[in-house]
Amino acid sequence: MYSININRHYKDLEEGAFSRAGESGYRKNLSPDQKGMLRTLRHNSYLLSSSIKNDIFHMLQTMGMNLDLFTIIHVHDPCLLPAAKKLKKRFEEAKIVYDRHEAYEKYDMPIPILGRTITQVHRSFEKMASRSVDGVVTISDDYVTRCREFFPNAIVTAVPNFSNSNDYSSEVITSKISCYEVGSVTDLVYFGSLGNELDRDIDLIMRIAEDTLSHFQNVRFFMGGHTNNELLLMHFNRLSQEYPGRFQYLGYTPRSDVASITQGAHIGFFLLRPDALYWVKCSP
């Protein structure tokens, strides 16, 4: 497997070869330190240009991939779908599989880009490649029908964001409950999106974390998920220093570790802001 990361957000990641789970990977940074409309316009123009296709070919060759092999082009970001469509023309037997993590048609952040909202931009990328996509993975059975309408030539399936019940050990959970006494170590957890601009109430979760850690010595708090929000990362760092071992920011967490940590936890949070512009009840 070969992984290509077009990094537009995380300024601390190095460009070049990388591997997160044993795969051969290559990362290209698109000025993640820039901010504002200029960065957005620069990124979108690059994503629609022939330059990205040439860059991807170069990265694959650098990693030693045989370009004549049958290939699955696995896309996570709608902005990369036009590039995947270009690649499909080069790899005659290639199939595009698109992981659609969000329901972009329901999200209208009031930040216009050339007169269009962020949702409309994402949907525009999806429309450009709609008939070239061969498979779609969505987050809920509730969205299978909609995705079939958006991608008429694709096989659509749902894979929930969180682990299935058979990924957990009932023995561990039962033992945790039976051994719990007043004063026992109590683990609180949150895994998921850390974006305040979405429907998750991260600010409220952080207030709960800080209040419980300051009032109860037997509490531990685990946070998992990706973010490039510097203020939030500073908050994580401060709590980690004030409560060493008791507050842990886990960052990206493999699915197996999510199951292991949550089955041992006592309270899990999934707090939503009902006034959020982005509101998808089935997203978990």
Side-chain angles (χ1 to χ4, degrees):
M1 183 176 72
Y2 298 88
S3 177
I4 291 175
N5 174 218
I6 306 298
N7 175 34
R8 298 176 290 141
H9 301 293
Y10 300 98
K11 63 182 180 181
D12 295 330
L13 298 178
E14 293 184 2
E15 184 166 289
F18 76 95
S19 181
R20 192 171 66 182
E23 82 282 16
S24 295
Y26 200 97
R27 177 180 297 114
K28 178 178 177 61
N29 291 335
L30 286 184
S31 303
D33 55 332
Q34 290 184 355
K35 296 181 180 181
M37 189 65 67
L38 181 61
R39 184 185 75 165
T40 300
L41 292 174
R42 179 180 181 275
H43 290 172
N44 288 347
S45 62
Y46 172 75
L47 294 168
L48 293 172
S49 71
S50 59
S51 298
I52 186 172
K53 182 184 73 171
N54 297 332
D55 288 347
I56 290 174
F57 281 145
H58 173 71
M59 287 184 265
L60 292 174
Q61 289 172 331
T62 300
M63 290 186 285
M65 177 182 174
N66 183 347
L67 299 182
D68 294 324
L69 291 176
F70 174 82
T71 304
I72 295 175
I73 305 170
H74 190 189
V75 181
H76 282 263
D77 190 328
C79 299
L80 293 174
L81 283 172
K85 182 178 178 179
K86 292 184 177 72
L87 287 172
K88 188 175 181 180
K89 293 180 180 179
R90 166 62 176 80
F91 299 100
E92 294 181 359
E93 301 297 326
K95 304 293 183 183
I96 296 175
V97 177
Y98 172 39
D99 262 332
R100 194 173 196 256
H101 301 290
E102 307 290 350
Y104 298 109
E105 67 276 12
K106 290 197 172 188
Y107 181 21
D108 277 329
M109 276 186 69
I111 305 175
I113 302 175
L114 297 180
R116 302 172 70 81
T117 64
I118 287 179
T119 300
Q120 291 170 326
V121 171
H122 287 155
R123 282 291 299 128
S124 294
F125 283 121
E126 289 184 337
K127 289 175 182 177
M128 290 177 193
S130 62
R131 295 189 177 278
S132 298
V133 174
D134 302 281
V136 176
V137 180
T138 186
I139 53 177
S140 167
D141 290 333
D142 293 348
Y143 277 89
V144 169
T145 300
R146 179 66 62 85
C147 286
R148 284 174 178 157
E149 294 173 358
F150 289 160
F151 306 97
N153 298 326
I155 297 172
V156 182
T157 188
V159 177
N161 282 345
F162 292 92
S163 306
N164 295 321
S165 59
N166 57 9
D167 291 332
Y168 297 91
S169 168
S170 59
E171 293 181 3
V172 171
I173 296 171
T174 302
S175 175
K176 170 191 67 179
I177 295 170
S178 62
C179 294
Y180 188 81
E181 298 177 352
V182 175
S184 297
V185 172
T186 304
D187 288 339
L188 285 62
V189 301
Y190 171 77
F191 288 103
S193 170
L194 296 175
N196 277 313
E197 72 279 6
L198 301 178
D199 56 354
R200 314 299 168 85
D201 200 335
I202 305 304
D203 290 338
L204 179 55
I205 292 175
M206 293 306 295
R207 290 202 299 273
I208 292 172
E210 193 148 12
D211 285 348
T212 53
L213 289 167
S214 65
H215 285 88
F216 303 99
Q217 296 299 312
N218 61 320
V219 166
R220 298 188 301 185
F221 207 107
F222 299 88
M223 294 281 292
H226 262 318
T227 182
N228 62 336
N229 185 317
E230 293 185 3
L231 291 177
L232 189 57
L233 290 171
M234 289 171 61
H235 199 168
F236 290 159
N237 185 55
R238 179 173 64 80
L239 291 183
S240 297
Q241 292 179 355
E242 290 183 9
Y243 306 101
R246 295 179 55 211
F247 180 85
Q248 298 182 35
Y249 170 52
L250 306 174
Y252 169 81
T253 308
R255 194 180 182 91
S256 58
D257 291 349
V258 172
S260 175
I261 293 171
T262 53
Q263 73 185 2
H266 302 88
I267 299 175
F269 292 97
F270 191 84
L271 306 182
L272 301 177
R273 296 186 296 110
D275 60 338
L277 294 167
Y278 179 87
W279 182 251
V280 186
K281 289 188 295 182
C282 73
S283 63

